[in-house]
Amino acid sequence: MSQSCPACCSRATRSVRAEVWHGIDLYRCTGCRTEFVHPQPSDERLTEIYGPSYYEPWHQESAENVRRSKELTFAPILAAAELAPGQRLLDVGCATGQFAGLAARNGLKVFGVDLNPDAIDTARRAVPDASFHAGTMADHPFPGEEFDAVAMVDFIEHVRSPEHELATIGERLAADGKFVISTPRVDSGVRRVTGKYWPQYREEHLTYFSESGLQAVLQRIGFTISSVAPTKKMLTPAYLYGQALAYPIPAVTPLVKLAWPVLPVPKHRPFGLRLGEMTVVATRR
């Protein structure tokens, strides 16, 4: 039986990879090309994934280098929000608070939401002046607050109902506010080259938007995309090594493990890398 596309709502979808994870198939919309999993992992499985060990792959790198690399990644995303000191930023998918910390140091009033309660505990300690919530915006946190911009970095692909989440947030966004969304782009060149080994294919990623798919969702809730650009991540080789261990690729990860001790590169220096993600800026129609 075909499944409805979570992006454009088309029923013209088909399974493209059976049992991509245990009992879970990967589907593709033949219209907008968005991909999604069905059935979605259980709540119990997602709770297991998002447990205390979720950020262990980061530990191949020092906490300070992770923070510095992520802030270099987040700087252009924050700039795209075009906020002035004192304005309110909602950071959806705030993880352990690196983006929130950068925004707070730029004089913004920051609110953060993340699915991972352990990450929220870390964020609260790292950015004590910000307000945080463990869960999603469907929980209606921060009552009475209206936001001048919303940043969603590596988040919308995780939620069960992306349209409902975006609509809920849109209701809290100021009339002239901006959505700034960074998410894996399934119609990217990196995805086409890497195929089923695309590093964004992870069990906790439930929807892989194409540009037109994300545009369809945003249009239905009253927003228009004003710009789309590739997201450039700033990463260190040590950080990438941790990711390679956590999300192994047959034939590739064993070679990486062999080469790592003698790899002739600065292992803790950030460099720019595109992994097939897009940064989308949307405004109210």
Side-chain angles (χ1 to χ4, degrees):
M1 178 184 295
S2 64
Q3 305 298 324
S4 179
C5 173
C8 70
C9 301
S10 170
R11 298 287 296 186
T13 64
R14 62 187 182 89
S15 174
V16 291
R17 286 176 63 196
E19 293 281 332
V20 62
W21 290 283
H22 181 67
I24 296 173
D25 294 350
L26 182 70
Y27 281 75
R28 179 181 300 142
C29 176
T30 59
C32 74
R33 310 298 289 177
T34 291
E35 294 181 358
F36 59 98
V37 298
H38 181 81
Q40 293 182 349
S42 67
D43 288 346
E44 292 76 15
R45 176 57 183 150
L46 290 178
T47 298
E48 181 183 353
I49 291 171
Y50 294 130
S53 64
Y54 189 63
Y55 295 103
E56 278 187 6
W58 294 12
H59 297 164
Q60 293 290 332
E61 184 54 276
S62 70
E64 175 58 25
N65 281 345
V66 169
R67 183 195 63 78
R68 184 163 57 97
S69 298
K70 288 189 175 294
E71 288 190 355
L72 290 171
T73 298
F74 294 148
I77 297 173
L78 181 60
E82 297 183 321
L83 294 174
Q87 289 189 294
R88 289 168 164 78
L89 172 72
L90 174 63
D91 178 10
V92 184
C94 63
T96 53
Q98 287 90 353
F99 190 102
L102 176 65
R105 289 196 298 279
N106 277 268
L108 302 177
K109 186 172 183 180
V110 182
F111 302 80
V113 174
D114 198 272
L115 293 164
N116 189 317
D118 295 297
I120 287 293
D121 287 343
T122 300
R124 286 182 175 129
R125 292 192 296 270
V127 196
D129 292 335
S131 300
F132 293 100
H133 171 73
T136 71
M137 287 302 290
D139 304 326
H140 303 289
F142 319 122
E145 294 288 355
E146 183 180 72
F147 307 107
D148 299 296
V150 174
M152 305 178 75
V153 182
D154 299 333
F155 180 81
I156 197 62
E157 63 272 18
H158 292 258
V159 303
R160 294 198 182 280
S161 179
E163 180 173 352
H164 183 265
E165 188 76 8
L166 289 166
T168 300
I169 294 167
E171 294 171 356
R172 307 281 298 275
L173 192 60
D176 58 349
K178 287 184 171 65
F179 263 131
V180 185
I181 302 168
S182 179
T183 188
R185 178 176 176 172
V186 77
D187 56 341
S188 65
V190 174
R191 156 61 184 82
R192 287 193 291 271
V193 169
T194 55
K196 68 179 182 180
Y197 298 121
W198 187 34
Q200 302 300 341
Y201 282 135
R202 299 182 179 184
E203 188 176 356
E204 66 270 29
H205 289 179
L206 309 182
T207 305
Y208 305 88
F209 286 100
S210 64
E211 179 184 342
S212 62
L214 186 55
Q215 183 176 33
V217 175
L218 288 167
Q219 284 182 337
R220 284 200 302 277
I221 65 169
F223 286 80
T224 299
I225 291 178
S226 56
S227 68
V228 181
T231 303
K232 184 169 73 171
K233 294 286 184 71
M234 298 299 293
L235 307 166
T236 68
Y239 181 93
L240 283 173
Y241 180 62
Q243 296 294 309
L245 297 181
Y247 304 97
I249 298 173
V252 174
T253 298
L255 292 176
V256 171
K257 291 174 69 175
L258 285 173
W260 180 249
V262 294
L263 197 66
V265 297
K267 295 178 180 177
H268 304 284
R269 181 183 301 168
F271 68 99
L273 186 65
R274 291 175 179 171
L275 297 172
E277 296 163 293
M278 57 181 167
T279 297
V280 171
V281 180
T283 53
R284 199 179 303 278
R285 198 163 55 240

